[in-house]
């Protein structure tokens, strides 16, 4: 069974940093691209970032470009999101999602259950 | 950036009736479109990819159609478990990004 388990969320002050992790199991991790998608409380889905199987293709939403960095460690079956200069508007549930392909585009299936990030003083 | 616009924002439907949800792209995404269902407190679930292909385990009452800029998700006979929020997503514009619509909430009439 494919499983994605996010961790690393929490309460953080504006301007500070946080690193999210996503532990993957049940599939060959380095055969697939991976993504982060977030959902602010009561709002819709917002794609944040994606990374191809070998980290050769990476993309970011304009809202996080220059502040967030996506990475992966295929040896550890793990995906990461380094979030710097956090703002109140980054408050959201952050989901990790598996792409259907090695390239970073595509549809997402499955999704993890998410980790909550709250940015507040 | 490709903008995805879903309509209506809320759809009130009686159980057993048909629901038709629309998704429009600001420029062509070919057939590179997916639909997701999200219930309260749950992660999104993939329903449709490639505009019209049902994902594994998705009931036949869910169908997708369209290409280019206009897409439709149809639920032929709504069941109680289908009341949820539905999102479309384009994945044509990669790199560097993918984008979601703002969602359509299907509620009980």
């Amino acid at each position: 069974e494919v499983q994605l388990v996010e961790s690393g969320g929490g309460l953080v002050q504006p301007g500070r940093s946080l690193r999210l992790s996503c532990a993957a199991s049940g599939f060959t991790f380095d055969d697939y691209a991976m993504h982060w998608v977030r959902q602010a409380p009561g709002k819709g889905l917002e794609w944040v970032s994606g990374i191809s199987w070998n980290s050769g293709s990476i993309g970011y939403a304009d809202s996080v470009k220059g502040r967030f960095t996506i990475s992966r460690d295929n040896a550890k079956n793990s995906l990461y999101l380094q979030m710097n200069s956090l703002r109140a508007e980054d408050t959201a549930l952050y989901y990790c999602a598996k792409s259907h392909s090695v390239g970073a585009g595509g549809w997402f299936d499955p999704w993890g259950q998410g980790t909550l990030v709250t940015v507040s003083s | 950036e490709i903008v995805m616009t879903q309509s209506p924002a809320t759809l009130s439907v009686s159980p057993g009736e048909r629901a038709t949800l629309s998704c429009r792209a600001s420029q062509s995404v070919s057939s590179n479109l997916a639909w997701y269902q999200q219930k309260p407190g749950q992660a999104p679930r993939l329903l449709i990819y490639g505009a019209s292909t049902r994902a594994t385990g998705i009931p036949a009452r869910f169908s997708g159609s369209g290409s280019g800029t206009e897409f439709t998700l149809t639920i032929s006979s709504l069941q109680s478990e289908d009341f949820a929020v539905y999102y479309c997503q384009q994945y044509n514009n990669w790199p560097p990004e993918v984008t979601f619509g703002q969602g359509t909430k299907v509620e009980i009439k």
Side-chain angles (χ1 to χ4, degrees):
Chain A
E1 179 193 4
V2 174
Q3 278 201 319
L4 300 170
V5 180
E6 302 93 337
S7 61
L11 175 63
V12 61
Q13 293 179 327
R16 304 297 292 265
S17 299
L18 208 58
R19 188 195 197 205
L20 305 184
S21 299
C22 172
S25 61
F27 66 102
T28 305
F29 184 69
D30 55 9
D31 276 353
Y32 295 93
M34 297 293 295
H35 292 260
W36 290 99
V37 179
R38 69 185 181 183
Q39 187 168 36
K43 302 298 184 182
L45 303 172
E46 180 188 16
W47 174 79
V48 173
S49 182
I51 185 169
S52 64
W53 69 282
N54 64 351
S55 305
S57 181
I58 287 175
Y60 298 96
D62 287 344
S63 58
V64 306
K65 204 170 291 183
R67 299 187 299 122
F68 290 11
T69 302
I70 192 171
S71 62
R72 63 189 295 160
D73 185 336
N74 287 344
K76 294 183 178 179
N77 290 346
S78 292
L79 175 71
Y80 306 102
L81 186 67
Q82 178 66 44
M83 304 186 295
N84 298 333
S85 303
L86 282 161
R87 306 167 180 167
E89 54 265 36
D90 295 318
T91 294
L93 186 63
Y94 284 74
Y95 292 105
C96 164
K98 170 182 164 289
S99 177
H100 81 288
S101 71
V102 295
W107 59 89
F108 305 157
D109 183 43
W111 301 51
Q113 286 304 304
T115 187
L116 182 62
V117 173
T118 303
V119 184
S120 175
S121 55
Chain B
E1 175 188 344
I2 297 179
V3 177
M4 307 301 292
T5 303
Q6 292 186 239
S7 61
T10 303
L11 186 60
S12 299
V13 186
S14 299
E17 290 188 339
R18 173 186 296 257
T20 303
L21 290 65
S22 295
C23 176
R24 174 176 294 178
S26 60
Q27 63 190 76
S28 177
V29 298
S30 187
S31 294
N32 296 314
L33 185 108
W35 289 94
Y36 301 87
Q37 176 193 67
Q38 187 179 33
K39 297 179 181 180
Q42 295 185 17
R45 177 176 72 145
L46 176 69
L47 297 177
I48 301 284
Y49 61 90
S52 60
T53 302
R54 276 190 304 277
T56 302
I58 301 303
R61 64 180 181 272
F62 291 91
S63 63
S65 63
S67 65
T69 62
E70 300 284 342
F71 301 89
T72 300
L73 175 69
T74 301
I75 312 171
S76 60
S77 177
L78 270 158
Q79 307 298 302
S80 57
E81 63 266 30
D82 301 335
F83 292 96
V85 180
Y86 293 83
Y87 295 93
C88 62
Q89 173 222 347
Q90 70 82 15
Y91 49 90
N92 186 65
N93 194 32
W94 183 278
E97 66 183 30
V98 301
T99 45
F100 289 92
Q102 81 278 21
T104 291
K105 181 180 181 180
V106 177
E107 63 176 24
I108 300 174
K109 187 174 182 180

